[in-house]
Amino acid sequence: MTIPAEHDYIEKCKHQIECRLEWKESREWKNRDYEYLAELISAKTKVAISVSTFKRIWQNDRSRTPHVSTLNALAVFLDYENWNDYKTKLRDEIKPDHSVTVKNQKK
């Protein structure tokens, strides 16, 4: 069975946020766009996320996975309960880019 990797979910989440915002393409975003995104997410979720964290996420810095509180805030912004709820509900929609293969093991 192939399941999406965490990065696949993050990419889908970013795309959904961009669609909801209806802004210019994120590759054209300036610092002020990230600041405004931080304000919007904080207003809805009551979670403060730094501009540098948003830049790391949107500019595809894969050196580390965002903290779960950040991922939860992104999911709540999209009207999900939390990150796990987001992943559960989108599992079948995600087209794995960096998928993980899980083999059924018989005991």
Side-chain angles (χ1 to χ4, degrees):
M1 170 173 64
T2 301
I3 59 172
E6 195 75 358
H7 173 74
D8 297 315
Y9 288 106
I10 293 169
E11 287 301 309
K12 177 74 171 181
C13 182
K14 287 167 34 180
H15 176 73
Q16 289 178 314
I17 289 172
E18 291 170 18
C19 289
R20 179 164 293 184
L21 295 173
E22 298 181 336
W23 294 353
K24 61 189 170 198
E25 291 188 39
S26 60
R27 67 175 183 235
E28 298 176 19
W29 288 3
K30 304 291 184 214
N31 199 61
R32 180 63 193 132
D33 298 307
Y34 291 106
E35 290 171 357
Y36 189 50
L37 177 60
E39 291 170 14
L40 290 173
I41 289 181
S42 178
K44 181 166 183 177
T45 68
K46 308 298 184 231
V47 175
I49 301 172
S50 72
V51 169
S52 61
T53 296
F54 283 117
K55 285 182 176 180
R56 233 182 353 265
I57 294 168
W58 257 265
Q59 294 172 0
N60 293 318
D61 177 356
R62 297 183 192 173
S63 62
R64 60 184 190 212
T65 301
H67 192 274
V68 70
S69 62
T70 299
L71 297 173
N72 283 338
L74 297 177
V76 169
F77 183 73
L78 292 171
D79 302 318
Y80 292 87
E81 186 178 326
N82 56 41
W83 186 245
N84 282 332
D85 180 49
Y86 177 82
K87 287 172 40 174
T88 299
K89 290 181 177 167
L90 281 133
R91 184 165 285 134
D92 294 333
E93 287 183 33
I94 301 290
K95 303 277 190 267
D97 181 32
H98 298 87
S99 58
V100 176
T101 301
V102 179
K103 295 180 181 177
N104 290 335
Q105 296 179 353
K106 295 182 181 180
K107 294 183 180 183

